[in-house]
Amino acid sequence: MPQLLILNGPNLNLLGRREPSVYGAQTLADVEALCRDTAVRLGHTVECRQSNHEGELIDAIHAAAAAHAAGTLIGVVLNAGAYTHSSVALHDAIKGVAVPVVEVHISNVHAREAFRHHSYLSPVAAGIVVGFGIDGYRLAIEGLARRAGGA
Ligand code: DQA
């Protein structure tokens, strides 16, 4: 497995078309290109995945944790979309393993509807990046690289 996993959850495949006033005009492909460029600049390899299914996100975290235990993966950048605000299962998945997960949100969820103010992921995240647009993914990768001692 590559050294970094970028995991995007539900509806993030719609980036660029979905509420551009909130999420911007850039597409998921643009996000993934930014992540690849950032990782390569820091000397890391990266895998980008997106799923609209909670169980697939959980499976990906378990696989990432196994790679982390094997010493091949430094961490996960996770934008869980709306599952952030609803998923005890994702909370438990992250809590149950040892891989560092950085929670990212493109928008400032705290400046939006009240139901977006609570995150089930924040208490178990290694770090949180909120409200910087897609640049948040770059910041999260840089944070994980620094945390791993590589940048
Ligand atoms: C989001 C914020 C969530 O509240 C929302 O459900 C998303 C995207 C963000 O990146 O700002 O799907 O995670």
Side-chain angles (χ1 to χ4, degrees):
M1 187 177 257
Q3 292 163 309
L4 284 154
L5 175 64
I6 314 302
L7 198 51
N8 278 295
N11 300 308
L12 291 160
N13 54 312
L14 300 179
L15 280 178
R17 285 177 286 150
R18 171 196 186 200
E19 298 181 82
S21 60
V22 176
Y23 299 114
Q26 283 152 310
T27 65
L28 181 62
D30 295 327
V31 169
E32 294 181 346
L34 170 67
C35 291
R36 286 205 181 85
D37 289 350
T38 304
V40 166
R41 176 169 54 77
L42 297 171
H44 291 297
T45 55
V46 71
E47 178 185 351
C48 298
R49 292 185 57 186
Q50 187 273 331
S51 175
N52 292 318
H53 304 280
E54 191 175 17
E56 284 183 10
L57 298 173
I58 291 167
D59 288 344
I61 287 168
H62 291 174
H68 181 67
T72 60
L73 181 131
I74 63 168
V76 179
V77 174
L78 173 63
N79 185 345
Y83 287 139
T84 305
H85 318 298
S86 67
S87 181
V88 176
L90 266 174
H91 169 104
D92 285 350
I94 297 167
K95 193 174 187 177
V97 295
V99 64
V101 175
V102 177
E103 175 185 352
V104 169
H105 299 288
I106 295 167
S107 64
N108 179 358
V109 285
H110 299 287
R112 300 179 63 195
E113 303 97 320
F115 64 81
R116 295 185 205 277
H117 297 178
H118 178 260
S119 167
Y120 281 98
L121 310 185
S122 297
V124 290
I128 308 164
V129 183
V130 173
F132 286 97
I134 71 164
D135 201 39
Y137 290 84
R138 179 184 64 77
L139 295 168
I141 291 170
E142 289 175 351
L144 280 170
R146 265 190 218 108
R147 198 178 191 278

